[in-house]
C-alpha cells in the first residue's frame, strides 16, 4: 500500500512538471481529489524524492501566484459570453 502511494506521488509530480499542470488538472488526470494531490506532493514526496519535490513545488508555486489572473480571465469570459 505504501509503495503504491509513493509511486502515485511521483507520477503526479512528474505530470505536474511535464505539463505545467495545476492541482485541479492533476487531480482530474489521476482520478483523485485536490487534497490528495496536495498531500502527495507536500507530505509524501519529500520523504523519498526531494529533487522531484523541489521541481514540482516550483510549478505549483508559479500556478498559485498566477491563479488570480486566471480567475479574472475566466470571469471576463463568463460575462462577455465568449
Amino acid at each position: 500500500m505504501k509503495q503504491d502511494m509513493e509511486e502515485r506521488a511521483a507520477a503526479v509530480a512528474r505530470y505536474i512538471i511535464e505539463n505545467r499542470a495545476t492541482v485541479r488538472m492533476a487531480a482530474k488526470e489521476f482520478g483523485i481529489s485536490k487534497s490528495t494531490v496536495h498531500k502527495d506532493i507536500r507530505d509524501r514526496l519529500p520523504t523519498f524524492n526531494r529533487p522531484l519535490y523541489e521541481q514540482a513545488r516550483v510549478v505549483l508555486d508559479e500556478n498559485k501566484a498566477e491563479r488570480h489572473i486566471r480567475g479574472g480571465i475566466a470571469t471576463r469570459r463568463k460575462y462577455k459570453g465568449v
Side-chain angles (χ1 to χ4, degrees):
M1 180 75 165
K2 184 175 180 175
Q3 186 65 24
D4 294 338
M5 287 189 292
E6 289 178 354
E7 289 174 13
R8 183 188 63 213
V12 169
R14 283 192 296 275
Y15 176 79
I16 288 171
I17 294 165
E18 291 168 3
N19 298 297
R20 312 292 293 167
T22 63
V23 171
R24 286 177 186 244
M25 292 166 61
K28 187 174 183 179
E29 177 71 22
F30 287 87
I32 56 179
S33 70
K34 294 184 306 178
S35 299
T36 303
V37 172
H38 280 292
K39 180 88 171 164
D40 283 350
I41 301 299
R42 186 185 46 221
D43 296 340
R44 293 186 181 114
L45 193 60
T47 61
F48 65 90
N49 194 337
R50 190 74 182 183
L52 189 60
Y53 164 75
E54 295 294 337
Q55 291 176 338
R57 245 2 275 173
V58 168
V59 175
L60 293 178
D61 288 344
E62 184 178 306
N63 287 338
K64 185 175 180 181
E66 295 173 350
R67 71 182 172 189
H68 68 283
I69 296 168
R70 284 193 215 105
I73 292 169
T75 301
R76 184 180 308 126
R77 285 185 183 148
K78 177 181 174 182
Y79 288 105
K80 283 195 172 187
V82 176

